[in-house]
Amino acid sequence: MKVLIYAGALKKVEKSGVGQAIYHQKDALKSVGIPVTFDKNEDYDIVHINTIFPDSFFMSLKARAKGKKVVYYAHSTKEDFKNSFVGSNLLAPVFKWWIKRCYLRGDVLITPTSYSKGLLESYGIKKKIYPLSNGINLKDYSNSQLGGCRFREKYGFSPEDKIIISVGHYMNRKGITDFVELAKRLPEYQFIWFGYTPPAACTPDVREAVKTELPNLHFPGLATQEELKDAYSGSDMFLFLTHEETEGIVLLEAMAMKLTVLVRDIPIYKDMLTSGYNVYKAGTLDEFERRIKGILTGTYPSTFEEGYNFVKERDIPVVGEKLKEIYKELGL
């Protein structure tokens, strides 16, 4: 058995969660001894398709015409497309129509969580849908005192500074305007957001938010995985203000680095995460402010150990074994 991970538009998504998921699939399959190729000209039995660009749609048609099995990864939903870029809400119904058309080309669908599986089923998709985490390479993540010092020195933070980190594109869905507001409310803490979106693609309120000049607010832009690991190591908590996700790979990364995590209390995390156990949750800005103070003053107990146990269940070899089971159900 050989798996083609189709990467025709990899350069467009390489720095996103989808790009991370593609590399995680490669590692997951290798961990269980399944040969992988990125070359569509090689022979293969199964193709993984992760994007919804036209070339991926046509690849699914070609593969099925050759009698190959198509596993379509449903990373995107209409719900997480909304409130993302300029015009995204207007285009959301068309986006839903297109992704449904793409996903129906798969013999099976894989989506990161039971929550996103429910969304896809609500679209009327009758295909078999497997909830399976995008996973995380736990062996590549460990908190580093040296990395943390390197991060603080690079950005001019003192050993005494309390640092709140977030990672994501500049968009309303990711909660970036609330991030700025919390920095205004909590000048005693340092807020740093890694990620970038071209200003032309941002809504006006987001463009204004990232222009905000405060001594405790930092937007350094994109970072490499190694730079992010240093940042996780040198920060005191991870703040995930997202309004909508299908999973959130950066959330898994922060938990793997044993950071205490504060997330928005949204439907996807209702059954997935437990406030006060493996994360903390908040809904309003006032709640977020109280939770941040409680975490950083030590009033609230740390949740990082249970958070780490949560991601252990999503380690790459675990994902690989589950992929093997899906292939068996495909008759391979």
Side-chain angles (χ1 to χ4, degrees):
M1 184 197 306
K2 191 177 200 178
V3 176
L4 166 65
I5 299 178
Y6 180 68
L10 182 58
K11 290 297 180 187
K12 294 180 182 178
V13 298
E14 197 164 20
K15 297 186 184 298
S16 70
V18 175
Q20 286 286 324
I22 288 170
Y23 291 120
H24 288 177
Q25 288 159 36
K26 178 195 72 172
D27 293 341
L29 293 171
K30 286 190 172 182
S31 76
V32 292
I34 295 176
V36 176
T37 181
F38 282 81
D39 185 350
K40 65 182 179 181
N41 296 314
E42 288 187 20
D43 193 25
Y44 61 92
D45 302 288
I46 304 168
V47 60
H48 282 197
I49 297 180
N50 286 272
T51 58
I52 53 167
F53 300 116
D55 64 302
S56 296
F57 176 80
F58 289 117
M59 182 66 211
S60 70
L61 297 182
K62 290 175 188 174
R64 296 194 74 175
K66 291 178 180 178
K68 311 298 185 181
K69 297 295 184 181
V70 177
V71 175
Y72 222 118
Y73 273 78
H75 297 290
S76 300
T77 65
K78 181 190 82 171
E79 286 73 13
D80 74 2
F81 180 75
K82 291 173 71 176
N83 299 312
S84 296
F85 305 106
V86 171
S88 61
N89 288 3
L90 186 64
L91 292 171
V94 177
F95 183 77
K96 178 183 173 182
W97 170 84
W98 174 248
I99 61 173
K100 183 176 175 182
R101 191 174 180 204
C102 290
Y103 295 160
L104 287 172
R105 304 284 75 78
D107 291 289
V108 297
L109 300 184
I110 294 178
T111 194
T113 56
S114 296
Y115 170 76
S116 52
K117 177 178 185 281
L119 291 178
L120 297 172
E121 289 172 339
S122 76
Y123 299 169
I125 294 174
K126 304 298 184 186
K127 296 278 182 179
K128 180 71 176 176
I129 304 172
Y130 295 92
L132 178 60
S133 172
N134 287 313
I136 184 160
N137 261 316
L138 270 186
K139 64 180 177 57
D140 293 339
Y141 289 85
S142 60
N143 203 286
S144 162
Q145 186 176 359
L146 179 61
C149 291
R150 195 161 48 224
F151 160 71
R152 285 181 177 246
E153 184 177 345
K154 179 175 180 178
Y155 293 101
F157 298 132
S158 75
E160 294 75 31
D161 280 330
K162 294 291 186 182
I163 302 171
I164 298 162
I165 183 176
S166 197
V167 182
H169 293 292
Y170 296 167
M171 58 177 67
N172 260 324
R173 176 171 67 82
K174 294 291 186 181
I176 196 166
T177 55
D178 285 346
F179 190 81
V180 172
E181 178 58 30
L182 287 165
K184 291 176 182 176
R185 291 186 180 203
L186 296 164
E188 66 270 37
Y189 303 133
Q190 296 291 332
F191 288 73
I192 187 164
W193 181 295
F194 286 97
Y196 181 74
T197 299
C202 298
T203 54
D205 55 340
V206 170
R207 283 198 295 269
E208 285 304 308
V210 297
K211 288 180 187 174
T212 304
E213 293 187 9
L214 296 170
N216 67 324
L217 178 64
H218 314 273
F219 291 107
L222 292 171
T224 66
Q225 278 299 302
E226 291 308 311
E227 288 169 335
L228 273 182
K229 287 174 196 174
D230 284 357
Y232 290 136
S233 294
S235 298
D236 296 284
M237 64 170 286
F238 183 77
L239 180 59
F240 203 41
L241 291 160
T242 183
H243 292 270
E244 184 69 32
E245 290 293 322
T246 54
E247 184 175 39
I249 286 180
V250 294
L251 173 66
L252 302 186
E253 291 176 353
M255 295 169 98
M257 294 294 287
K258 295 192 174 181
L259 273 173
T260 293
V261 171
L262 175 58
V263 301
R264 193 181 297 276
D265 193 0
I266 53 177
I268 183 174
Y269 299 133
K270 181 181 178 184
D271 299 318
M272 184 174 163
L273 300 168
T274 303
S275 191
Y277 179 65
N278 46 23
V279 297
Y280 284 100
K281 297 181 183 179
T284 65
L285 278 170
D286 289 343
E287 266 190 295
F288 275 112
E289 185 177 352
R290 285 197 301 273
R291 294 286 199 196
I292 289 169
K293 287 179 179 177
I295 291 166
L296 294 182
T297 59
T299 307
Y300 293 168
S302 172
T303 59
F304 70 79
E305 287 295 350
E306 289 304 329
Y308 189 77
N309 288 335
F310 174 85
V311 292
K312 276 168 69 175
E313 297 171 5
R314 290 151 179 81
D315 197 8
I316 286 298
V318 177
V319 173
E321 291 293 344
K322 291 180 178 178
L323 278 172
K324 276 176 72 174
E325 291 301 314
I326 292 170
Y327 296 162
K328 285 178 186 176
E329 293 192 32
L330 280 170
L332 294 167

